[in-house]
Amino acid sequence: MSQTRKQSIESPRNRPQDPKTGTDSESESPDSQGEASGQLDVSEMDFLRNLLSRSLDLQHSDSGPVLEKRSLEGVAKYILNKKCDKIICMVGAGISTSAGIPDFRSPGTGLYHNLQKYDLPYPESIFEMGFFKQNPEPFFALAKELYPGQFKPTVCHYFIRMLRDKGLLLRCYTQNIDTLERVVGLKDEDLIEAHGTFYTSHCTNSTCRKQYNLDWMKTQIFTKPLPKCELCDSVVKPDIVFFGESLPPRFFATMESDFPACDLLIILGTSLQVQPFASLVNRVSKSTPRLFINKETTRQSDPMMALLGLGNSLDFDSEKAYRDVAYVGPCDDGCLALAELLGWKEELAEVVKKEHALIDSQEEGAQASAGPAAQEEKGSALKAQAVTQEEAEKPGAQKKA
């Protein structure tokens, strides 16, 4: 867009000059200057008119409806008719809740509700760099409860892997830091971890920045009060993005090429409230179908936010709706329903069963080799989870919406 504007509103200093007069060759007389000025005004008005039209969603798709039906069945038929092979999945915490990992905002059971026990000034402070630098202990106490490796991937995770295995996945963009996408086998080239990951960690000392891997951080979290750098003794922080930190450079570099190429966008387990991740839905072509699967719907198109490049342009209900489909319910159910329509349900169920059995056997082997101390530690963790659940279910506690 900005490149088009530069071409249509060229600066006089960049125009070629007449070698005899030293003046702009495109403005040889006052009349031609006035004519050029008029053309400039028209070009600028056209640009602004088109910008507002796109931002306020006043333009309709040139190709008309892109799905035979705006339904899960219509999306399945679109896939089966081989109309897409560059699917992007945008995923959030909702795809991991069935694994036992809480989402952030559910009343009574969400992560922010359960952070009350850490006596924070406000729940979000546990993910703020200023608070972390002064008081890192609450974050690492929470990390011990939620650390990757204690949970199994869900149906949603395996459905995304199935898209990859069938040659249909362009990329998975995730807000999650639980690394379950990696557990199911997604590789670096398949995955953009927009909000960072526990997979790697770095020393917080800017003059050191030594990198550590997942296993090292796990050992530190479960055996020491704080993970400290082996070189300079500063606190080591997992590479997850805190409030106020920049998103990974790869997020911005990859989205520029991925989203224009996307031919089906599947949004899973996110209410699209966190920027800039939420605004990615606006970056696909207007002829690209968008499937939204979540336990609750999202706020739909806000013209003023769209004008600022924020918010989302999803439209499920208006008279102009032509490409957006919403499945409101548990994410696993939505993926199973779509898999059934695609003829993949039995294959998906078999993959989940086989992979979970493999994870169980590996865990049992690790516990047997670790000895009684590991069993006791696991028992303490399960007891703590049970106490948290009991507190959430007490009379007077907020219930899940």
Side-chain angles (χ1 to χ4, degrees):
M1 186 184 300
S2 58
Q3 184 178 359
T4 304
R5 187 178 185 185
K6 286 180 182 178
Q7 290 172 345
S8 63
I9 310 177
E10 189 178 19
S11 168
R13 285 177 293 180
N14 295 331
R15 292 176 183 159
Q17 290 189 330
D18 185 279
K20 294 181 180 179
T21 64
T23 61
D24 293 339
S25 58
E26 294 179 9
S27 54
E28 295 176 353
S29 68
D31 289 341
S32 62
Q33 287 180 357
E35 185 178 339
S37 177
Q39 291 173 350
L40 181 66
D41 291 342
V42 170
S43 299
E44 195 163 30
M45 286 302 296
D46 285 343
F47 169 78
L48 292 173
R49 188 180 296 112
N50 290 332
L51 174 63
L52 287 169
S53 182
R54 285 193 298 270
S55 298
L56 298 176
D57 203 23
L58 299 177
Q59 294 177 336
H60 295 280
S61 169
D62 294 335
S63 58
V66 294
L67 298 170
E68 289 188 13
K69 292 182 180 179
R70 279 197 314 108
S71 63
L72 212 56
E73 291 81 0
V75 174
K77 193 167 185 180
Y78 180 84
I79 296 172
L80 291 172
N81 287 342
K82 302 186 184 301
K83 293 187 176 180
C84 58
D85 60 2
K86 295 181 177 65
I87 298 175
I88 290 179
C89 293
M90 288 175 57
V91 306
I95 72 168
S96 296
T97 53
S98 64
I101 301 174
D103 62 12
F104 284 85
R105 296 177 176 83
S106 290
T109 60
L111 184 60
Y112 285 155
H113 173 84
N114 291 327
L115 288 177
Q116 294 174 13
K117 61 187 175 184
Y118 295 118
D119 194 28
L120 303 170
Y122 46 91
E124 293 85 353
S125 63
I126 202 168
F127 296 116
E128 290 185 350
M129 277 305 298
F131 183 83
F132 176 83
K133 288 177 179 178
Q134 296 181 4
N135 188 15
E137 285 83 1
F139 170 78
F140 286 108
L142 174 66
K144 189 172 183 178
E145 290 185 34
L146 303 179
Y147 202 78
Q150 304 180 81
F151 305 95
K152 298 175 188 173
T154 67
V155 168
C156 292
H157 293 100
Y158 288 107
F159 179 80
I160 295 168
R161 190 185 82 176
M162 187 172 285
L163 290 175
R164 194 277 309 272
D165 293 346
K166 293 181 181 295
L168 299 174
L169 183 71
L170 174 60
R171 209 89 62 199
C172 175
Y173 283 71
T174 179
Q175 297 177 93
N176 299 337
I177 58 175
D178 52 38
T179 74
L180 290 180
E181 296 89 1
R182 291 181 179 272
V183 174
V184 298
L186 294 191
K187 305 298 184 185
D188 284 345
E189 60 267 25
D190 306 317
L191 189 61
I192 300 294
E193 292 160 317
H195 293 169
T197 179
F198 271 98
Y199 196 67
T200 56
S201 302
H202 282 84
C203 174
T204 55
N205 184 342
S206 60
T207 62
C208 178
R209 299 296 293 161
K210 178 175 170 59
Q211 180 173 313
Y212 297 90
N213 63 25
L214 183 68
D215 290 336
W216 182 92
M217 178 58 77
K218 182 177 181 179
T219 300
Q220 299 297 307
I221 285 178
F222 282 92
T223 61
K224 297 181 180 179
L226 288 175
K228 293 293 189 73
C229 179
E230 296 170 350
L231 296 181
C232 69
D233 204 40
S234 298
V235 173
V236 177
K237 171 184 164 292
D239 291 340
I240 65 173
V241 179
F242 278 21
F243 293 117
E245 288 189 299
S246 298
L247 271 62
R250 186 165 175 259
F251 168 83
F252 295 102
T254 310
M255 74 176 186
E256 293 292 343
S257 57
D258 279 357
F259 282 83
C262 173
D263 46 28
L264 174 62
L265 180 64
I266 302 179
I267 304 150
L268 290 161
T270 172
S271 53
L272 297 173
Q273 294 187 35
V274 178
Q275 296 293 349
F277 189 88
S279 62
L280 293 179
V281 301
N282 304 327
R283 289 184 165 268
V284 297
S285 162
K286 286 187 175 292
S287 61
T288 299
R290 301 181 296 189
L291 172 61
F292 178 84
I293 299 176
N294 196 39
K295 69 175 183 180
E296 57 189 15
T297 191
T298 183
R299 292 193 298 268
Q300 296 183 47
S301 181
D302 181 335
M304 293 310 297
M305 292 295 286
L307 182 60
L308 297 173
L310 303 174
N312 71 76
S313 59
L314 295 175
D315 182 2
F316 306 124
D317 306 318
S318 82
E319 294 180 358
K320 296 191 297 180
Y322 69 98
R323 59 165 172 164
D324 295 333
V325 176
Y327 178 99
V328 181
C331 293
D332 284 353
D333 292 355
C335 286
L336 283 170
L338 181 56
E340 184 171 20
L341 291 166
L342 292 167
W344 304 350
K345 186 176 181 180
E346 290 185 6
E347 181 184 357
L348 178 59
E350 183 61 28
V351 167
V352 174
K353 181 180 178 181
K354 179 180 178 181
E355 293 285 333
H356 281 188
L358 178 62
I359 292 171
D360 286 340
S361 65
Q362 291 173 341
E363 184 177 329
E364 289 171 3
Q367 289 175 1
S369 61
Q375 295 282 3
E376 183 179 348
E377 183 177 313
K378 183 179 180 182
S380 299
L382 291 173
K383 184 178 180 181
Q385 289 179 3
V387 170
T388 301
Q389 183 64 27
E390 182 181 346
E391 289 176 351
E393 294 175 353
K394 285 179 180 178
Q398 286 183 292
K399 296 295 182 181
K400 186 175 180 180

